[in-house]
Amino acid sequence: MAYVAIADRDHEQEHHDPQTFITKYVWSQDHKVIAVQYGITAIFVGLIALGLSAMMRLQLGFPDQFSFINPENYYQFITMHGMIMVIYLLTALFLGGFGNYLIPLMCGSRDMVFPYMNMLSYWVYLLSVIILVVSFFVPGGSTGAGWTLYPPQAIMPGTPGIDVGIILMLVSLAVFIVAFTMGGLNYVTTVLQARCKGMTLMRMPLSVWGIFIATVLGLLAFPALLVSAIMMLFDKTLYTSFFMPAISSMGSDPGYTGGSPILFQHLFWFFGHPEVYIVALPAFGIVSDLLSTHARKNIFGYRMMVWAIIAIGGLSFVVWAHHMYVSGMNPYFGFFFATTTLIIAVPTAIKVYNWVLTLWEGNIHLRVPMLFAIGFVFTFIHGGLTGLFLGNVTIDLPLSDTYFVVAHFHMVMGVSPILVVFGAIYHWWPKITGRMYNETLGKWHFWMTFLGTYSIYLPMHYLGFAGVPRRYFAMGNTEFLPDSAQDLNAWITMSALFVAATQILFFVNMIWSLTRGPKSDPNPWHATTLEWQTPDHPPKHGNWGHDLPVVYRWAYDYSVPGYEDDYIPQNVSTDIAPAGRSHGVEEH
Amino acid sequence: MEIALIFLAVILATFLGWLLKQSFNTAPWVAEVVSDTAHHGPLGTNSRLIALLTLLAVITSFFALIISAYSLRMELGDWVPMTEPRLLWVNTGLLVAASLVFQWTRNAAIKGRDAALKPGLVLTGVLTAAFIAGQLLAWQQLEQSGQFMTSNPANAFFYFLTGAHAVHIIGGMVVWARATTRVMLDRGDAALTRRSIELCTIYWHFLLLVWLVLFGLLLST
């Protein structure tokens, strides 16, 4: 009776042990398979979005050289690139992918608490992706309203894709939110209810903390996107005036009365800002675990790290209007939101200090996952610092419509989370597949990606200062810019194409590993967390064989004085002296 | 947006309070055997209840945001306050009755009076369906009097709010239908059915509360 959640699972498992190929790998209720399904789908749409960004860069670097890129296409590329990367790739990959894989394994559960709903979550997500991809091929093409979909332009003539594209976009978002809610209920319930014995909240690895708090944020913030999507659908299809002001279009009156576009912006950013942290918090958590594992040191200030995650999550709900400084808001509002925005720097800086202090005097192993984790610390500090600039109203106003903003948000929520995604894939790949990849190829992949992205985004800051406007298909009346601005743009495009091309290394490496890679050790990094302690490698359905693990310690017992091994797994008992213990020196 | 923020603050404060209790004054780095219940969730071991409460938080956020949008949109010049159909009072009565009957059925289920389950569940279903029918009738009355969704933002919000609420009720009725089928055909685990009825009751009370808030908002503006 003491443990109904797990008892339920054991009970169900007897009946649902997958038998056929279809139930094992397609209609699977196993969290690990669902995680891989989420991951593959997300990476697939991510590649589409990467291709779109390459097309955009071609036009920007070499204007009018390519006949297949016209202004309409260009805006469609921008829109779909942003939307896919933020929502369909990063949100889905961090929560649907890593959340699904790591939560049950790291918490010591057999599976998610509601496996059927978990399966449904993936298939509904796939449906939203299909709707999204279909919108490329409908008459008029996908929407070109920008990823923020601001009305009135999102549904007024002049914007590409106002017939079907925008409708499919909004429907796809609504479907995605349903999928996310089903997944999110699972993640929250599993973290709260299905941890194994001894796994207190404050012993959870920070990866789980990051994913958990990000899920809570998502559950509370995505309804704002849903509300705005539904209301915009009404405005588009039924001609209500929630957001649409009295406006005439090319001499004709579409019949809208006095709606408020600013209302849409409020709703959108009420979702949009927490969304940044929905992507960032799992990255924070995963990076903490990677740094600690590969530096063979306990994470510096674990409790502070947990509370920083929670504080960032809470604060992220009261800063949304800093995306709207240019909408002409009351200066007192601007002051309020600038203040809250700058306050977020405090918990974020705590995290950065703690990462650096974790590395301090650590026994650092520069393996591929560690390289990506350290790379993240660089790009994140960089993007965070420019965030301090943009958080101030007076600095934001002139910079808001320039490439400075593009550089800022790509550093902080483009490059940084993607580096963590790669680090995490390289870290958990042996556990997921049971095979190793080529270390050298992985390092090449890191250095080319890391230096390449710097070469893209660092110059963008200068372009922004010089006043190069963002969102423009062609420069227009920008005689104040020196010709070298265009040279820099060409350089950025070359770098972007280079970085896009180097990603082939990653796929080659992974396919090689899957087919020819050497079998990996069950715990190749000598990590302490539970997912590396499974009886089977890779873990089978049900994860733990007959008995669930029991946890005696936190996830960061690395290099504990008096022990020969430099790590003690979480499920090693306190009263049985571990095999690697050397002289029996008792510290206390 | 203040309304959404207040709701959010309440939800987050509850969550934070519990987290604080779990994590305050702990020393995570000390390896030791902890108590048998240390890994339990905030409400013992009832996963379905946790999931339901989380879902209710999501739905609360959804309606709080619509209400925020309502109050922001109301301040603009083209807003003409509308008079709600009298029928809504009858519908409210139906929904209150449905909630009461559901509570009665739940109490019967807990105390093991299984004979009361069938009539209780059926009556709840009838009352709830009558509420939905009543809402549709109210829509029809409005349209007959020429008040369409596009006539005025107040009307648009009226249709949106009542529609969104009705969709949530219909979603609840899917779960109600499953529980009722199980009781009718006398199939499935009795304990599971009882738990399902308990959770449905909470959901019904919650949607009644949402309706009362929405109705109050519509009447007062």
Side-chain angles (χ1 to χ4, degrees), chain A residues 37-49:
Chain A
Q37 289 173 326
Y38 252 114
I40 291 174
T41 314
I43 290 173
F44 170 74
V45 279
L47 284 177
I48 297 179

Side-chain angles (χ1 to χ4, degrees), chain A residues 231-246:
Chain A
M231 282 159 66
M232 180 119 86
L233 266 180
F234 286 148
D235 275 7
K236 165 71 193 157
T237 55
L238 304 174
Y239 294 93
T240 54
S241 303
F242 288 115
F243 304 130
M244 294 300 283

Side-chain angles (χ1 to χ4, degrees), chain A residues 417-569:
Chain A
I418 284 292
L419 288 180
V420 178
V421 163
F422 281 129
I425 292 178
Y426 281 113
H427 184 77
W428 279 291
W429 181 267
K431 184 48 55 181
I432 298 170
T433 63
R435 285 170 187 273
M436 283 307 287
Y437 45 82
N438 185 308
E439 186 90 11
T440 317
L441 210 55
K443 283 181 180 165
W444 273 99
H445 176 221
F446 167 74
W447 284 110
M448 286 157 93
T449 306
F450 179 69
L451 296 177
T453 46
Y454 253 102
S455 148
I456 300 172
Y457 295 110
L458 205 57
M460 267 192 203
H461 293 93
Y462 295 102
L463 286 182
F465 277 139
V468 176
R470 64 178 169 136
R471 305 195 187 98
Y472 282 25
F473 169 72
M475 284 291 190
N477 293 326
T478 43
E479 288 83 10
F480 58 89
L481 290 173
D483 289 342
S484 56
Q486 188 52 45
D487 298 339
L488 206 50
N489 247 333
W491 165 260
I492 291 173
T493 297
M494 301 294 285
S495 307
L497 295 177
F498 172 77
V499 170
T502 49
Q503 303 316 307
I504 292 171
L505 286 185
F506 170 73
F507 291 100
V508 166
N509 201 354
M510 292 304 149
I511 290 167
W512 175 83
S513 165
L514 276 180
T515 50
R516 299 214 186 115
K519 292 261 184 287
S520 84
D521 197 65
N523 188 359
W525 318 123
H526 293 173
T528 56
T529 40
L530 285 180
E531 80 274 23
W532 300 101
Q533 326 300 336
T534 51
D536 306 292
H537 176 68
K540 293 207 172 95
H541 188 68
N543 293 349
W544 306 106
H546 190 264
D547 292 319
L548 285 166
V550 179
V551 162
Y552 297 93
R553 54 189 77 240
W554 70 339
Y556 300 99
D557 266 349
Y558 290 107
S559 309
V560 179
Y563 289 80
E564 198 172 286
D565 283 347
D566 67 348
Y567 72 109
I568 312 173

